Amino acid sequence: MANYKDFNFKKYLYYFLIFLFISASIFLILYFIFSQDSELKILISFSLESTITLIALVLIYYSLDGLRIYYILSSLDYRLKIKDMYLSVFLKYFISNVTPFSSGGGLAQIYYLQDTGAETGKSTAAVVLRTVISSTILLFAAPLIMLSNQEFFSLVTGPLYILLFIIFLAVYFTMLYYLVFKNRFLKKLILRLLNFFKKRNLISSKKYKNILRYLFKHLELFSHDIIKFVKQDLKSLFITIILTIIFLVIEYSFSYFLLRALGYYQISYLNIIFLHTVIAFIMYFTPTPGAAGGAEAGFILFYRHLVERNDILSLLFFWRFFTKYLGIFIGMLVFTYLVITNREEN
C-alpha cells in the first residue's frame, strides 16, 4: 500500500482551513451587502420533487466524474474497481479544491490509482487525458459563448484580454504537445536538471540513476498510452468526450433546478448552461483554493439580473454546496480514512 504520510495531513488541513476562511468571509461580506433585502435561507424546505432531482443530480455528477477515469483506464487495459473509482474521485475532489489553481488533485488521484495497481504511465495518462479533454471543451466553449452574447462580450472587450487568452492557449497546447509527442525535449531538460543536482552532491549517484531510469521509463509509457488512446482508439476517445460533455452539462444544471425549487420557472435551461460555462471559465483562472472568490463573484455578476435580491444568497450557497462543499467534505473523510488506515498497516 502507498504511504499516504507523503501527503502531509497538517498541510492539507491548513489548506482546508484557508478555503473555509475565504468562503465564510465572502458569504459574510455578501450577507452585509444584501442584508436589507436578503436572508441566507440555509434551511429552505424544497419540495419532494426538487429534493429527489437534486439528489439524483449529485449521484450522476460524481459517478460520471469517476466513469471518465474508469473508461480511459479500461481502454488502456486496466480494470479499476468501482469502489476505487469513487474513492479516487473524492480524494481528487478534496485535494484539488483546497490547493491553489486545483494543482494537487490530479497528482493525488494518480498516486491513489498507482496504489490500486495501475502503472504510473497508465494512471498519469488517464488523469491527463481526463483533464485535457475537460479543459479543451471549456477553453473553446466559453469564449465562443462570450463572443456570441452581448452581455458576456462586454466583460472581455479590448485587445489585451483577447491577446492574453491567445497566448495562454498557445502556451497550454505547446506544453501538452511537447509532453506527449516530443518528450525527448523534456528528457533532456530532466537530464540537465539531475546532472546539476548530482554535480553539487544534492543527490547520490545511485539515486541519480534510479530517478533517471524511473522517469524515462514512465515518460515513455505515459506518451505511448496517450498516443495509443488518441490515435488507435478513436471510439474510446469519442465516448470519453461525450461522457465529459454530459458531466459538464450535469455540473452546470444544478443552478437551473435550484432556480425551479425557488419558483423561477421561466428561465431558459440552455441560458443557464451557457452562463455557468462562463462562470467555470472565470473559476479556471482563479488562484484561490476551490476558486473561492472568483466563483462567488462570477455568480453574483450574472445572477443579479436573473433573480430577486432576497433569493441570491440562498441560491449561491446551495449551488456551492452541491458542486463543491459536499464533494470536499466527503473527500476530506476519504483522505482521513486513507491516512489512518495506512498508519495502522505500517
Side-chain angles (χ1 to χ4, degrees), residues 211-245:
I211 293 174
L212 206 60
R213 189 182 302 114
Y214 179 86
L215 288 178
F216 279 20
K217 173 189 174 184
H218 289 291
L219 268 174
E220 284 296 329
L221 292 172
F222 162 77
S223 179
H224 173 268
D225 286 330
I226 285 191
I227 292 172
K228 175 187 174 184
F229 184 84
V230 173
K231 286 188 174 181
Q232 299 178 16
D233 201 347
L234 293 178
K235 178 184 175 183
S236 295
L237 177 61
F238 177 75
I239 292 174
T240 305
I241 291 172
I242 296 299
L243 283 173
T244 301
I245 292 172

Side-chain angles (χ1 to χ4, degrees), residues 110-127:
I110 291 169
Y111 193 87
Y112 181 82
L113 292 173
Q114 291 176 26
D115 192 18
T116 68
E119 295 176 356
T120 303
K122 281 182 169 48
S123 57
T124 306
V127 171

Side-chain angles (χ1 to χ4, degrees), residues 23-305:
S23 299
S25 299
I26 290 168
F27 270 101
L28 188 62
I29 292 169
L30 291 174
Y31 178 77
F32 283 118
I33 292 173
F34 292 94
S35 61
Q36 294 179 351
D37 306 285
S38 178
E39 294 180 5
L40 187 54
K41 305 171 186 174
I42 297 179
L43 298 176
I44 288 179
S45 297
F46 291 132
S47 67
L48 180 60
E49 179 186 353
S50 297
T51 303
I52 293 173
T53 302
L54 289 168
I55 292 173
L57 277 178
V58 167
L59 295 175
I60 296 169
Y61 175 60
Y62 292 115
S63 296
L64 279 173
D65 198 6
L67 282 172
R68 294 185 295 157
I69 283 289
Y70 179 89
Y71 190 79
I72 294 173
L73 284 172
S74 295
S75 302
L76 297 175
D77 303 319
Y78 179 76
R79 186 70 63 181
L80 184 66
K81 294 179 181 178
I82 298 299
K83 173 191 171 185
D84 290 327
M85 180 190 82
Y86 280 108
L87 288 177
S88 75
V89 165
F90 286 116
L91 177 65
K92 180 263 298 184
Y93 218 82
F94 171 65
I95 300 295
S96 66
N97 281 292
V98 299
T99 50
F101 285 113
S102 302
S103 54
L107 293 173
Q109 193 167 31
I110 291 169
Y111 193 87
Y112 181 82
L113 292 173
Q114 291 176 26
D115 192 18
T116 68
E119 295 176 356
T120 303
K122 281 182 169 48
S123 57
T124 306
V127 171
V128 168
L129 281 165
R130 187 273 318 279
T131 304
V132 167
I133 290 171
S134 296
S135 301
T136 303
I137 292 171
L138 177 63
L139 291 174
F140 279 101
L144 288 176
I145 292 170
M146 290 181 186
L147 294 173
S148 62
N149 184 289
Q150 187 61 40
E151 182 181 354
F152 294 151
F153 182 72
S154 64
L155 298 173
V156 291
T157 50
L160 179 61
Y161 290 102
I162 296 172
L163 178 63
L164 289 174
F165 179 69
I166 292 172
I167 292 173
F168 172 79
L169 283 182
V171 171
Y172 180 83
F173 287 109
T174 299
M175 289 175 61
L176 184 65
Y177 173 77
Y178 274 97
L179 180 62
V180 177
F181 299 103
K182 298 289 183 180
N183 62 24
R184 185 176 298 177
F185 172 79
L186 186 59
K187 288 178 180 177
K188 289 180 180 178
L189 188 64
I190 291 171
L191 186 60
R192 289 178 182 177
L193 187 64
L194 289 176
N195 282 333
F196 174 81
F197 289 148
K198 183 183 175 186
K199 286 178 182 178
R200 283 155 181 77
N201 296 319
L202 297 174
I203 57 174
S204 64
S205 296
K206 182 179 179 181
K207 182 168 283 190
Y208 169 84
K209 291 178 182 178
N210 289 338
I211 293 174
L212 206 60
R213 189 182 302 114
Y214 179 86
L215 288 178
F216 279 20
K217 173 189 174 184
H218 289 291
L219 268 174
E220 284 296 329
L221 292 172
F222 162 77
S223 179
H224 173 268
D225 286 330
I226 285 191
I227 292 172
K228 175 187 174 184
F229 184 84
V230 173
K231 286 188 174 181
Q232 299 178 16
D233 201 347
L234 293 178
K235 178 184 175 183
S236 295
L237 177 61
F238 177 75
I239 292 174
T240 305
I241 291 172
I242 296 299
L243 283 173
T244 301
I245 292 172
I246 297 172
F247 167 77
L248 293 174
V249 169
I250 292 295
E251 181 180 5
Y252 303 158
S253 297
F254 279 99
S255 286
Y256 175 77
F257 290 102
L258 285 169
L259 284 166
R260 292 183 65 85
L262 290 172
Y264 294 91
Y265 299 104
Q266 305 303 319
I267 295 177
S268 166
Y269 177 72
L270 195 59
N271 284 344
I272 295 299
I273 299 300
F274 288 165
L275 186 150
H276 274 278
T277 304
V278 177
I279 292 175
F281 183 76
I282 295 170
M283 293 169 64
Y284 194 86
F285 296 97
T286 304
T288 54
E296 290 82 0
F299 191 92
I300 295 290
L301 179 67
F302 294 120
Y303 274 91
R304 73 186 193 278
H305 300 305

